[in-house]
Amino acid sequence: MDAVLLVFAGALLTALATGLGALPFAFVRSVSTRTIAYSNALASGLMLGASFGLVAEGTRFGAVQTILGGMAGVAFILLTERVLRARDIQFGEVHGDGARSMALILIVMTVHSFAEGVAVGVSFGGSMSLALLIVVAIAVHNIPEGIAISAVLRPRGVSVAGCAGWSIASSLPQPIMAVPAYLAVGAFAPLLPYGIGFAAGAMVFMVFEELLPEAYERGRKAGVALLAALTLVGMMVFQQWL
Amino acid sequence: MDLTITVLVYSSLAAAAAALGAAPLLVRERLPIALIGWSNALAAGLMLGAAYALLLVALEPGSGPGAGGALLGIGFVYWTRAASRTTELELNRLEEMSPDYGYKILLVNTVHSSAEGVAIGAAMAVNLPFGVLVALAIATHNVPEGTVLCAVLTSRGVRLSDAVGLAVVTNVTQVLLAVVTFAIVMAEPSVLPWALGVAAGALVFLVLFELLPECYRQAGPRSIALVTIVAMGIVVLLSEQGI
């Protein structure tokens, strides 16, 4: 019982850390097209780097399963877009394409948290002695994910507190999935490469289909490419550390 | 066969792939622009997949050298474009009419080929299958590059055979840098993470700076995203066998 509570509390803590990603956006006020372009580039680099890290982990469990999961992730995004396009969704004051990007990144990051929650639970199952280390690692690793979410929401008019709230909400599946995965490592471990692949496929596809094209359209090509490339490499190094 | 000769052969084959780019021009004078977009997206995905695999190997011994190399690679490609005043230049503009456009893309292709050469040389130093995989990605990228160059040059009165020759010659720096990088890394293995980092950073930046922006304009985001991610997946699967 104690262990289950600990896993839940640990995973909840990591979810809260995602909210810290909103902090850097406290000084972003203007809803200018340039801000959107460079925020998109930043989110693209972070998400591509995160996906590279996920794929590297997933292929250790099985490359084919990871790729199959990735294909499902792409299909999921195509389907979600279809649903979102079919109705005129509204996000705060925002309508149309902007609102679709906002809804989409929240859906993508929330879905990806399910896979991460399973990963947390499975790694706890391995050895409880590493528990604290894993919690700190995942918590720190969640901050850039909060940055990616806030980078899309904030320039489109969401408040800093709102960005933090949405970031935390997107990570809540982590504690929810971590507990059953911890209790039944045997049942969840084989699913892990599929889940990781799904998360990576969904994130990469969203970057290529939504975030990057919009960034190129609204910002200078050189600035967008530099920012995205540097954050991609930075994210890879950051994950290497943890 | 001596390993350096192997590197020479594979990088030369990748360079010569540019000549294949002329083939569509023999069939049709005006090419459907979406086709160029898709083939560049295929190249972009293969190159990003290669960059993923290169980065993983580069960062393995500790993140310092690999990350330093990646920054150098990004910085190098950006600097070459900024220094030659071609930062705003759009490649793949078949409709572009300014008279010096042909010279400009010849210059840009020649300069970025050297970064691609580093990628082939460094990957070959990891092991042969990985090197061949990266060479294949670069070769795929050289084909549409050759197509565009030939189309632009022939529309300015250059004979097709000469245009093909020039398209291949712009990739000579690729062969040179592949062999030099390989030789240096073989002589001094401690620079391998640096070389891999340079290669990965340069490839990521080339894709984000030169390939993808044009692709989106030529074929629209959805099909480009699909082609790119499928190509990345193929490289991930193949690189799992190799490294």
Side-chain angles (χ1 to χ4, degrees), chain A residues 1 4-5 12 24 29-30 44 53 71 76 82-83 89 96 137 140 152 158 174 180 193-194 204 217 219 227 230 236:
Chain A
M1 187 58 214
V4 171
L5 254 178
L12 187 64
R29 278 164 226 282
S30 65
S44 300
M71 287 160 67
F76 173 77
R82 214 186 155 85
V83 173
I89 56 160
V140 175
V152 174
V158 177
Q174 285 187 3
Y194 294 101
V204 171
E217 216 169 88
L227 190 57
L230 290 173
M236 288 288 283

Side-chain angles (χ1 to χ4, degrees), chain B residues 63-90:
Chain B
S63 43
L71 292 185
L72 278 180
I74 294 171
F76 171 74
V77 177
Y78 180 73
W79 170 78
T80 54
R81 293 294 296 272
S84 59
R85 307 281 161 120
T86 51
T87 330
E88 297 298 321
L89 181 74
E90 311 271 354

